[in-house]
């Protein structure tokens, strides 16, 4: 039986004449929203503190009338009689209490809303037609819903700074700022970088960065999301596209193991922006700037657009059936111990599953992924910069930690023990295998998004899709299975990676009855216990928790050493590349 002491205390609260029950601690503004009564707000954000400074959420509020015995007096309906507070109250900083009553649409409330809108618009510039926030501007929307159609203001508007580069990624238009302080509180409370503040208090109050500081933390673009007006805009996105033209696709960020939930905004196969999507199990309402802007490579000039095969020493374009047939033919020349597969922690579960089937069919033991690490920030950014390391643990499940065999594979390639190398979504040049060594390989099959020094040496090149060009699933660092979705079509003749791997598998003699990505997922769910009973559609938009992190075996010290060694080689290669680039 449920312990009654564990259930939250419920309060009876009247909203616009109807009684409801809410748990103790519910904000009045949230209580109203739960029953479809939207109270307009500017400064209130449910994930930040409530300073109550914009006054847009004013309502009428009352409490039970108490009799001489100190108990609430009851009306004919058996409910408490309300003593209304004569002045309006803000609803964003007050929790519900027993017998509380609120009115959200009375003549007084509507008058308050009109008054607040009139004050807010006094100094606001009339540049809505050219403002980048149009389509998502709360000032425009509330002006229509709660404001007046004409202004009584005859004096000159206060002029404030425009087009201020307040940080490397954020542009500030102070004239539009309504001084709600959301951006200031975000930086203090979430990003832990107290960089913004109001100065020159009075009619000339402006938002600015503290002297000698910039809004340059890795979460700066979240201030653009939460700014209710067009004061803070993304320097990258502004003036590129009207938001109502954007197609919105729910997906996840694949730039680290956190897997922040996102909305990809695209039009005609071009991605214009990524914004965070609320998921309290993963990223709350936020995402980092690094992940948010990490989509430009999908339009890079060095995208691989056509399959290619090596013929008389040169890579020449080929159609897909020819390229797949060539790859299969080349791989079949060698036995399992002579073949290595380097997969990627950036691949989806479905792609990893097909890779594991390919390895099984060819008898390959040399299979691993490339580990990728960077500093964590204790906010969202994970130390593991691969989005699906846990997927590789579950699906490739090779008995050692992902990345631990990589150096051994590299050594086997260098020693000539490996004759055929398949590299999927990774660059061998980062792993310490020099170009001269790659040229010596009789078979070198590369599946990748971008052309690089390694793909140039391949015997077969298979163009791949980027994270926003395909469907699939991944398991984040905390064990949550999540879906990524296709926002744009891949350019040229690049194929969805799961199809390429399925075709290769079938050309070698396996992979029967796989006609859709759902079929691949079904095979995973029938084989990997953590996926049992799930399907791509059952994962849902917010994901499902499938793995307790303590279920994972602790990393063996020798694995850790091998992984660190592989990462160190990548880092050294990166430095050398940068030096060459700058020279
Ligand atoms: S810039 Fe935007 S978020 Fe910041 S105080 Fe002004 S209106 Fe609010
Ligand atoms: S924290 Fe990780 S998953 Fe989230 S946006 Fe940043 S890089 Fe992407
Ligand atoms: S939303 Fe309540 S005062 Fe601003």
């Amino acid at each position: 039986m449920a312990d009654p002491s564990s259930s939250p205390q419920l309060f009876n609260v009247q909203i616009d004449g109807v009684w409801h029950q809410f748990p103790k601690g519910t904000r009045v503004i949230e209580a109203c929203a739960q029953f479809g009564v939207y109270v307009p707000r500017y400064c209130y954000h449910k994930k930040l503190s409530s300073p109550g400074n914009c006054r847009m959420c004013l309502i009428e509020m009352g409490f039970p009338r108490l009799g001489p015995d100190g108990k609430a007096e009851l009306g004919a309906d058996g409910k408490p009689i309300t003593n209304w507070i004569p002045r309006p109250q803000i609803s964003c900083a007050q929790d519900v209490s027993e017998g509380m009553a609120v009115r959200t649409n009375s003549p007084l409330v509507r008058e308050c809303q009109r008054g607040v809108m009139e004050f807010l618009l006094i100094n606001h510039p009339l540049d809505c037609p050219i403002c980048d926030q149009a389509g998502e501007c709360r000032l425009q929307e509330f002006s229509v819903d709660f404001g007046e159609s004409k202004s009584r203001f005859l004096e000159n508007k206060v002029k404030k700074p425009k087009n201020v580069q307040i940080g490397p990624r954020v542009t500030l238009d102070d004239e539009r700022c309504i001084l709600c302080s959301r951006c200031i509180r975000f930086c203090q409370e979430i990003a832990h970088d107290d960089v913004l503040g109001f100065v020159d208090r009075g009619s000339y109050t402006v938002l600015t960065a503290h002297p000698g500081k910039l809004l340059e933390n890795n979460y700066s673009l979240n201030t653009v999301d939460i700014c209710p007006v067009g004061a803070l805009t993304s320097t990258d996105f502004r003036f590129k596209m009207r938001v109502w033209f954007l197609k919105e696709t729910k997906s996840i960020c694949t730039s680290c193991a956190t897997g922040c939930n996102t909305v990809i905004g695209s039009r005609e196969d071009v991605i214009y922006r990524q914004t965070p999507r609320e998921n309290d199990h993963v990223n709350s309402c936020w995402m980092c700037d690094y992940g948010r802007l990490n989509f430009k490579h999908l339009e890079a000039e060095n995208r691989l657009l056509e399959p290619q095969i090596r013929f008389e020493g040169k890579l020449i374009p080929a159609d897909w059936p020819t390229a797949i047939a060539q790859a299969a033919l080349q791989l079949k020349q060698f036995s399992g111990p002579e073949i290595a597969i380097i997969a990627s922690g950036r691949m989806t579960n479905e792609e990893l599953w097909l890779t594991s089937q390919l390895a099984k069919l060819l008898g390959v033991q040399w299979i691993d992924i490339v580990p990728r690490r960077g500093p964590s920030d204790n906010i969202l950014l994970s130390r593991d910069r691969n989005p699906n390391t846990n997927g590789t643990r579950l699906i490739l499940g090779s008995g050692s930690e992902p990345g631990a065999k990589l150096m051994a594979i590299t050594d086997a390639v260098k020693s000539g023990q490996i004759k055929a190398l398949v590299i999927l979504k990774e660059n061998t040049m980062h792993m310490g295998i020099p170009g001269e060594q790659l040229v010596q390989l009789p078979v070198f099959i590369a599946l990748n998004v971008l052309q690089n020094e390694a793909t140039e040496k391949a015997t077969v090149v298979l163009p791949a899709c980027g994270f926003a060009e395909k469907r699939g699933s991944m398991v984040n660092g905390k064990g949550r299975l999540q879906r990524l979705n296709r926002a744009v079509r891949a350019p040229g003749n690049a194929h969805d990676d799961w199809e390429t791997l399925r075709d290769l598998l079938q050309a070698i003699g396996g992979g029967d009855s796989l006609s859709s990505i759902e079929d691949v997922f079904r095979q995973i769910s029938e084989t990997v216990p953590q996926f049992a009973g799930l399907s791509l559609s059952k994962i849902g938009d917010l994901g499902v928790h499938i793995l307790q992190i303590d279920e994972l075996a602790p990393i063996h010290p020798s694995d850790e050493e091998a992984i660190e060694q592989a990462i160190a080689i990548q880092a050294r290669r990166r430095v050398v590349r940068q030096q060459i680039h700058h020279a």
Side-chain angles (χ1 to χ4, degrees):
M1 209 172 113
D3 175 8
S5 62
S6 65
S7 33
Q9 189 182 355
L10 292 177
F11 289 141
N12 295 294
V13 178
Q14 191 196 71
I15 297 175
D16 292 334
V18 183
W19 288 92
H20 305 280
Q21 286 196 319
F22 299 99
K24 185 181 178 185
T26 310
R27 283 282 153 93
V28 174
I29 197 168
E30 294 295 344
C32 294
Q34 282 180 27
F35 285 91
V37 178
Y38 182 77
V39 179
R41 76 287 304 261
Y42 285 116
C43 69
Y44 174 74
H45 188 286
K46 63 182 173 181
K47 303 289 182 180
L48 302 174
S49 58
S50 300
N53 63 3
C54 76
R55 320 311 282 180
M56 192 63 207
C57 66
L58 286 168
I59 53 165
E60 283 193 83
M61 192 180 286
F63 293 93
R65 189 163 81 198
L66 301 182
D69 57 356
K71 292 192 179 146
E73 289 183 16
L74 301 184
D77 58 355
K79 299 286 183 189
I81 298 170
T82 302
N83 262 349
W84 292 96
I85 302 174
R87 285 174 299 137
Q89 305 292 308
I90 55 171
S91 57
C92 65
Q94 171 90 34
D95 287 353
V96 292
S97 62
E98 179 55 35
M100 176 191 268
V102 299
R103 290 185 189 131
T104 67
N105 59 6
S106 65
L108 175 63
V109 171
R110 285 200 293 273
E111 184 56 29
C112 289
Q113 290 166 341
R114 273 197 297 275
V116 171
M117 283 308 301
E118 189 169 6
F119 273 123
L120 287 175
L121 290 169
I122 278 178
N123 284 312
H124 197 81
L126 294 173
D127 59 0
C128 294
I130 52 123
C131 177
D132 212 43
Q133 188 79 357
E136 316 183 289
C137 177
R138 288 297 163 125
L139 206 58
Q140 282 185 4
E141 287 162 15
F142 293 170
S143 185
V144 173
D145 292 344
F146 306 103
E148 288 284 2
S149 58
K150 50 184 183 294
S151 169
R152 294 181 292 169
F153 190 68
L154 302 174
E155 293 79 7
N156 289 331
K157 286 176 185 276
V158 175
K159 299 277 188 295
K160 292 184 186 174
K162 290 183 89 68
N163 201 5
V164 181
Q165 284 304 308
I166 200 167
R169 296 173 290 280
V170 180
T171 304
L172 167 67
D173 194 321
D174 257 314
E175 280 186 345
R176 296 178 187 153
C177 173
I178 58 164
L179 308 174
C180 74
S181 82
R182 276 184 178 190
C183 54
I184 299 174
R185 282 174 284 139
F186 173 82
C187 288
Q188 289 170 341
E189 296 164 19
I190 308 291
H192 309 304
D193 180 23
D194 189 4
V195 63
L196 297 177
F198 294 135
V199 294
D200 299 335
R201 295 270 174 169
S203 58
Y204 195 81
T205 306
V206 285
L207 175 83
T208 186
H210 297 316
K213 288 193 167 184
L214 284 173
L215 175 58
E216 58 186 350
N217 64 63
N218 192 25
Y219 292 84
S220 68
L221 284 166
N222 292 283
T223 62
V224 173
D225 302 332
I226 59 175
C227 178
V229 297
L232 293 173
T233 48
S234 159
T235 309
D236 176 64
F237 176 68
R238 62 194 248 126
F239 304 132
K240 296 245 175 80
M241 182 55 64
R242 285 304 200 177
V243 293
W244 52 84
F245 289 133
L246 291 177
K247 180 181 84 172
E248 297 197 327
T249 308
K250 291 177 186 167
S251 194
I252 53 170
C253 172
T254 56
S255 298
C256 88
T258 304
C260 292
N261 289 211
T262 61
V263 173
I264 302 175
S266 63
R267 188 177 187 213
E268 292 175 359
D269 291 330
V270 176
I271 298 177
Y272 286 91
R273 69 173 183 183
Q274 290 192 97
T275 45
R277 181 164 58 87
E278 185 177 351
N279 185 343
D280 286 343
H281 299 285
V282 181
N283 56 307
S284 185
C285 297
W286 324 116
M287 71 187 294
C288 77
D289 294 359
Y290 158 71
R292 187 191 294 249
L293 297 174
N294 196 6
F295 60 86
K296 310 280 173 180
H297 62 282
L298 298 180
E299 283 181 62
E301 280 183 2
N302 59 337
R303 270 299 295 252
L304 288 167
L305 301 173
E306 295 286 340
Q308 297 169 65
I309 53 175
R310 190 163 294 280
F311 181 69
E312 294 179 349
K314 277 197 189 143
L315 278 175
I316 55 164
D319 56 23
W320 273 102
T322 311
I324 292 288
Q326 255 309 307
L329 195 68
Q330 291 182 10
L331 284 172
K332 283 202 272 191
Q333 291 170 32
F334 296 98
S335 64
E338 295 172 310
I339 305 174
I341 300 178
I342 295 172
S344 174
R346 292 165 164 175
M347 291 166 75
T348 63
N349 294 324
E350 294 73 16
E351 293 155 18
L352 289 166
W353 170 258
L354 291 163
T355 306
S356 73
Q357 299 308 296
L358 190 64
K360 209 181 269 177
L361 193 64
L362 292 166
V364 172
Q365 294 298 322
W366 297 106
I367 176 166
D368 207 348
I369 65 158
V370 178
R372 195 171 271 111
R373 283 189 190 158
S376 149
D377 62 6
N378 294 325
I379 301 175
L380 286 175
L381 190 63
S382 167
R383 183 165 177 247
D384 182 358
R385 298 293 160 80
N386 276 331
N388 199 20
T389 306
N390 277 332
T392 62
R393 281 192 179 103
L394 294 174
I395 292 169
L396 296 185
S398 62
S400 57
E401 265 299 289
K405 283 199 268 176
L406 195 66
M407 291 317 298
I409 295 177
T410 305
D411 291 343
V413 172
K414 284 185 189 166
S415 70
Q417 187 184 342
I418 299 293
K419 307 265 187 316
L421 179 63
V422 180
I423 181 144
L424 307 170
K425 312 293 281 273
E426 292 291 354
N427 184 347
T428 33
M429 304 296 275
H430 294 175
M431 294 157 26
I433 306 176
E436 313 81 67
Q437 207 90 44
L438 292 174
V439 187
Q440 301 300 321
L441 281 168
V443 175
F444 175 32
I445 294 163
L447 174 120
N448 216 334
V449 175
L450 301 180
Q451 184 184 17
N452 55 45
E453 316 92 310
T455 55
E456 284 163 17
K457 313 220 163 22
T459 52
V460 179
V461 179
L462 305 169
C465 284
F467 73 98
E469 297 163 350
K470 61 187 182 183
R471 293 172 63 211
S473 63
M474 294 187 173
V475 187
N476 82 354
K478 296 211 168 124
R480 199 168 183 84
L481 177 65
Q482 307 195 98
R483 281 192 312 217
L484 59 158
N485 283 309
R486 179 183 290 120
V488 293
R489 284 173 298 183
N493 202 5
H495 267 188
D496 208 330
D497 305 343
W498 83 265
E499 287 176 332
T500 305
L501 290 163
R502 186 266 322 260
D503 292 349
L504 186 55
L505 191 61
Q506 289 181 342
I508 294 173
D512 290 343
S513 72
L514 293 174
S515 55
S516 69
I517 194 165
E518 281 76 13
D519 291 337
V520 183
F521 194 94
R522 191 175 334 108
Q523 287 203 348
I524 304 175
S525 69
E526 285 166 2
T527 319
V528 183
Q530 287 83 352
F531 290 74
L534 288 168
S535 64
L536 273 178
S537 62
K538 280 189 193 160
I539 294 175
D541 289 337
L542 297 180
V544 198
H545 212 76
I546 61 161
L547 184 66
Q548 296 304 325
I549 292 310
D550 51 19
E551 280 176 39
L552 297 171
I555 300 179
H556 194 274
S558 60
D559 282 1
E560 183 75 359
E561 206 177 306
I563 293 166
E564 294 305 332
Q565 204 185 346
I567 290 169
I569 287 196
Q570 288 176 62
R572 274 206 299 280
R573 286 259 155 192
R574 230 181 347 261
V575 171
V576 171
R577 259 208 333 275
Q578 277 161 3
Q579 282 167 349
I580 292 169
H581 182 73
H582 292 308

